[in-house]
Amino acid sequence: MPSAEISKSVEVVGWAEEQGRRDEMEDGFVFVDCFGDDVQSAYLAVYDGHGGRETVDFLAANLHEKLLAEMRKAKEVSVPDALTAAFKDADETLRDQLKVNQSGATACVVFQTREGG
């Protein structure tokens, strides 16, 4: 099972992958230690792809960056509001700019930070 050997924001993080009977693995996992250059914050996400890897690959490469950009827009933005805006931006980019209409994904995202951080 893969794991983050040395992380600053969490004590232990690990993940497992299994392709199953399909021809292509359509799932993805992202762990960003020290999210936003904050040693007390981490971003973790599991993406369950459907209909190909295109959406999963885009989300794995970009969703955490979109979240960080939303969080930096205004100091008082709530994490749920920033997540909602990041997902909307990702959806619009996939649909309108990249013209992705044959694949999709379900996402489970965790943003962890120390209270008051």
Side-chain angles (χ1 to χ4, degrees), residues 23-86:
D23 291 338
E24 185 176 33
M25 177 62 146
E26 296 180 350
D27 300 340
F29 174 80
V30 173
F31 168 60
V32 181
D33 191 25
C34 302
F35 181 67
D37 296 323
D38 180 352
V39 296
Q40 297 178 354
S41 296
Y43 174 96
L44 301 94
V46 175
Y47 304 109
D48 179 13
H50 306 279
R53 290 205 52 90
E54 199 168 11
T55 298
V56 167
D57 290 342
F58 176 81
L59 292 175
N62 296 286
L63 188 61
H64 57 285
E65 296 294 341
K66 290 181 179 295
L67 174 60
L68 186 58
E70 291 296 331
M71 292 175 70
R72 288 183 171 164
K73 277 185 183 178
K75 275 284 193 204
E76 300 304 314
V77 68
S78 71
V79 173
D81 288 345
L83 273 168
T84 298

Side-chain angles (χ1 to χ4, degrees), residues 8-11 38-42 79 111-117:
K8 296 177 182 174
S9 59
V10 297
E11 283 189 37
D38 180 352
V39 296
Q40 297 178 354
S41 296
V79 173
F111 168 68
Q112 174 226 281
T113 191
R114 188 163 296 179
E115 194 168 341

